[in-house]
């Protein structure tokens, strides 16, 4: 592929055609495009912003929030949520303070119980999906609609604390919100309106839930004489029990914005990661066989590495935009040193960084055991995923439960057959319903 020759042949003044070429290349031959850019134009000014493609440069952008802010999508995200949120802000108050708060309530020590919870909810969803296929007389079921999004939403109910909110609403609203703030570069007003309406619906449902929880709770030990306790031991329960100094102004509306923000950061990501990781494993039969063996290991750590390496090839967030708010010399002292003026949008291509030949050994090979800094699936730096401890068990466990079922696999030859149904996210992925279903 010679992307740059075709791109350079389009006059600089014809931005729409250049954007069309970029969009087509990122959709149809992402690996080839970024191989070429890393070699020839590693810091590449485009009408969509400056594409940053090399591993050290992506890390440089993502670790300098005072220079490269979330200002490209931040305002849209806050319109969707109807409130400030850490992923939309940089600096002391909302971002760093509430990031610390996020780490407190999304505690690393929850990981073992979140894994066990995911395993049992995933198994139940798989049982129902397989039984549903049998009832329909079908050899397949839809891994995304019949399994991953349901299991992920049930984890959101049980672990994050969205008690009583229908899983369909959790999944649909979070998809509309994500789409509006993260995948609506063309600023389609209908997509934006649907995202803000979904954000408002979720806010109102969570406000009612918080009011209910407050009304139901008594002293933690029930010594107020009512016999009531402080309610479920989930993330929302932990938020409602956490008291920050009054001067922080952290009221129930802030709890609401954070909880809905967590859902937005989690639900689509977990669902899609489960599907794309399975696809990347299924595309490599020898790797799939190794992963199946690792799935049966009582210590899941060996298996998890297969999932994170699979996601390197198809991350849910391949790139994240930032706004350069003060002039900056990127990659200073290297041949690719580039001055970036204030006001320039910059796109940190984490996908490309994870294939940087100068940093990642044999990047095209599927290898577990790579250094953690070579995997940017959960982001990096100031906005690195604050839910990463939960994510790091939920996503692999959703995949592991599938691989523990013989025959529940994408049919041979249809590993890539994900249907996006006109949305930015895969919506349907047919998998064989068991060993007698004519699968691989
Ligand atoms: C399930 C798989 C997940 C994936 C693939 C994922 C991915 C990411 C990525 C790539 C970022 C960085 C975004 C950027 O720099 O622009 C991020 C940030 C974030 N994620 Fe996750 N995430 C996942 C799960 C979760 C979970 C379980 C939660 C919370 C329950 C969560 C909440 C957040 C939040 C709040 C941020 C923003 C952090 C900040 O701005 O400081 N994510 N996530």
């Amino acid at each position: 592929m010679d992307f740059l020759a075709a791109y350079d042949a389009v006059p600089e003044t014809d931005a729409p055609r250049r954007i069309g070429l970029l969009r087509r290349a990122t959709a149809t031959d992402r690996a080839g495009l970024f191989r070429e850019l890393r070699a020839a134009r590693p810091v590449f000014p485009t009408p969509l912003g400056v594409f940053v493609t090399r591993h050290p440069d992506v890390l440089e952008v993502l670790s300098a929030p005072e220079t490269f802010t979330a200002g490209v999508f931040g305002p849209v995200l806050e319109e969707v949520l109807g409130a400030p949120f850490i992923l939309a802000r940089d600096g002391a108050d909302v971002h760093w303070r509430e990031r610390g708060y996020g780490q407190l309530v999304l505690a690393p020590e929850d990981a073992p119980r979140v894994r066990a919870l995911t395993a049992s909810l995933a198994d139940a969803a798989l049982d129902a999906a397989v039984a549903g296929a049998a009832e329909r007389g079908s050899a397949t079921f839809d891994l995304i609609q019949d399994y991953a999004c349901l299991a992920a939403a049930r984890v959101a109910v049980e672990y994050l604390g969205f008690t009583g909110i229908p899983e369909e609403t959790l999944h649909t609203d979070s998809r509309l919100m994500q789409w509006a703030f993260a995948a609506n570069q063309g600023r389609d007003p209908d997509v934006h309106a649907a995202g803000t309406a979904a954000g408002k619906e979720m806010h109102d449902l969570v406000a009612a839930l918080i009011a209910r929880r407050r009304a139901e709770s008594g002293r933690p030990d029930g010594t107020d004489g009512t016999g009531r306790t402080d309610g479920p031991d989930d993330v929302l329960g932990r938020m409602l029990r956490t008291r920050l100094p009054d001067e922080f102004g952290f009221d129930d509306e802030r709890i609401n914005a954070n909880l809905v923000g967590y859902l937005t950061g989690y639900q689509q990501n977990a669902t899609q990661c489960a599907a794309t990781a399975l696809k990347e494993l299924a595309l490599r039969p020898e790797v799939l066989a190794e992963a199946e063996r690792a799935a049966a290991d009582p210590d899941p750590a060996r298996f998890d590495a297969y999932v994170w390496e699979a996601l390197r090839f198809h991350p849910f967030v391949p790139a994240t935009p930032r706004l350069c708010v003060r002039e900056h010399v990127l990659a200073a002292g290297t041949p690719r040193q580039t001055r970036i003026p204030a006001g320039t949008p910059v796109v940190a291509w984490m996908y490309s960084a994870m294939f940087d030949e100068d940093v990642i050994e044999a990047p095209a090979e599927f290898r577990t055991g790579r250094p953690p800094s070579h995997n940017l699936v959960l982001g990096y730096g100031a906005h690195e995923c604050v839910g990463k401890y939960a994510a790091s068990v939920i996503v692999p466990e959703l995949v592991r439960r599938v691989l523990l079922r013989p025959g529940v696999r994408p049919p041979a030859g249809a590993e890539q057959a994900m249907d996006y149904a006109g949305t930015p996210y895969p919506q349907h992925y047919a998998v064989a319903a068991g060993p007698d279903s004519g699968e691989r």
Side-chain angles (χ1 to χ4, degrees):
M1 164 171 171
D2 192 355
F3 168 80
L4 286 169
Y7 185 86
D8 290 343
V10 176
E12 203 178 332
T13 47
D14 193 351
R17 262 184 73 207
R18 285 190 155 190
I19 290 175
L21 283 177
L22 281 166
R23 293 231 159 100
R24 213 166 18 261
T26 44
T28 57
D29 182 19
R30 191 173 283 178
L33 168 69
F34 285 104
R35 197 178 313 114
E36 193 178 344
L37 291 183
R38 282 191 303 275
R41 309 245 180 107
V43 183
F44 182 45
T46 82
L48 296 171
V50 177
F51 280 20
V52 178
T53 65
R54 295 281 312 277
H55 188 274
D57 304 348
V58 166
L59 265 45
E60 182 176 340
V61 168
L62 296 181
S63 19
E66 64 293 339
T67 302
F68 297 104
T69 72
V72 176
F73 58 82
V76 185
L77 173 55
E78 295 199 350
E79 274 177 47
V80 166
L81 283 173
F85 186 54
I86 51 176
L87 183 53
R89 299 274 175 123
D90 296 278
D93 54 358
V94 172
H95 182 240
W96 287 119
R97 177 191 299 158
E98 294 192 14
R99 223 188 121 79
Y101 172 84
Q103 205 58 94
L104 185 73
V105 297
L106 294 163
E109 62 269 25
D110 293 343
R113 83 171 157 113
V114 175
R115 185 185 284 277
L117 176 71
T118 306
S120 81
L121 294 172
D123 276 344
L126 274 174
D127 287 344
V130 169
E135 265 165 43
R136 289 191 308 275
S138 170
T140 63
F141 67 87
D142 184 340
L143 183 94
I144 294 174
Q145 298 300 327
D146 298 340
Y147 168 62
C149 73
L150 297 177
R154 287 170 192 161
V155 173
V157 171
E158 298 289 327
Y159 174 58
L160 295 180
F162 287 88
T163 322
I165 301 184
E167 55 212 20
E168 168 60 26
T169 310
L170 294 172
H171 189 69
T172 303
D173 280 359
S174 65
R175 190 188 66 221
L176 294 172
M177 292 163 77
Q178 269 271 344
W179 188 348
F181 88 82
N184 188 24
Q185 282 82 6
R187 299 273 187 260
D188 179 330
D190 292 341
V191 170
H192 186 73
T196 49
K200 168 94 175 60
E201 178 176 46
M202 200 44 72
H203 166 276
D204 293 351
L205 287 166
V206 170
L209 170 60
I210 289 174
R212 218 161 49 237
R213 291 263 189 121
R214 291 275 189 219
E216 283 165 3
S217 72
R219 296 215 188 101
D221 55 359
T223 54
D224 57 350
T226 62
R228 296 172 305 187
T229 65
D230 250 2
D233 180 22
D234 51 26
V235 171
L236 175 57
R238 198 176 272 157
M239 290 166 119
L240 294 174
R241 288 190 293 275
T242 303
R243 189 159 160 73
L244 298 180
D246 288 346
E247 61 270 29
F248 287 180
F250 198 89
D251 57 13
D252 282 356
E253 279 296 299
R254 296 302 308 134
I255 290 180
N256 191 327
N258 276 278
L259 190 70
V260 176
Y262 298 159
L263 178 77
T264 315
Y266 156 69
Q267 173 66 23
Q268 291 302 312
N269 302 18
T271 302
Q272 311 303 335
C273 286
T276 57
L278 182 65
K279 174 197 66 157
E280 292 298 329
L281 293 171
L283 282 169
R284 299 169 175 81
E286 284 171 20
V287 172
L288 178 65
E290 285 171 26
E292 285 169 345
R293 284 193 291 278
D297 195 320
D299 172 9
R302 201 164 67 84
F303 174 75
D304 295 359
Y306 283 89
V307 172
W308 296 107
E309 175 68 353
L311 291 171
R312 189 173 65 88
F313 291 86
H314 192 151
F316 181 72
V317 185
T320 183
R322 294 290 188 263
L323 185 64
C324 178
V325 294
R326 60 168 79 142
E327 184 174 299
H328 183 81
V329 179
L330 186 69
T334 73
R336 52 186 196 281
Q337 166 172 317
T338 307
R339 189 184 67 82
I340 303 190
T344 310
V346 166
V347 187
W349 274 97
M350 298 180 287
Y351 165 81
S352 177
M354 292 191 283
F355 287 84
D356 184 341
E357 300 76 358
D358 285 359
V359 176
I360 318 293
E361 213 179 287
E365 278 177 26
F366 192 107
R367 286 188 187 177
T368 56
R370 294 184 182 278
S373 64
H374 292 185
N375 191 304
L376 305 176
V377 168
L378 293 173
Y380 183 85
H383 290 277
E384 186 198 25
C385 182
V386 79
K388 70 175 184 176
Y389 298 101
S392 66
V393 290
I394 296 170
V395 173
E397 201 55 38
L398 287 175
V399 182
R400 183 162 165 251
R401 302 326 287 182
V402 175
L403 292 197
L404 286 171
R405 302 219 170 193
V408 178
R409 305 285 181 271
E415 295 89 350
Q416 305 257 35
M418 284 192 170
D419 175 5
Y420 284 64
T423 78
Y425 311 111
Q427 297 298 313
H428 306 288
Y429 189 30
V431 292
D436 304 324
S437 308
E439 79 302 345
R440 65 187 61 245

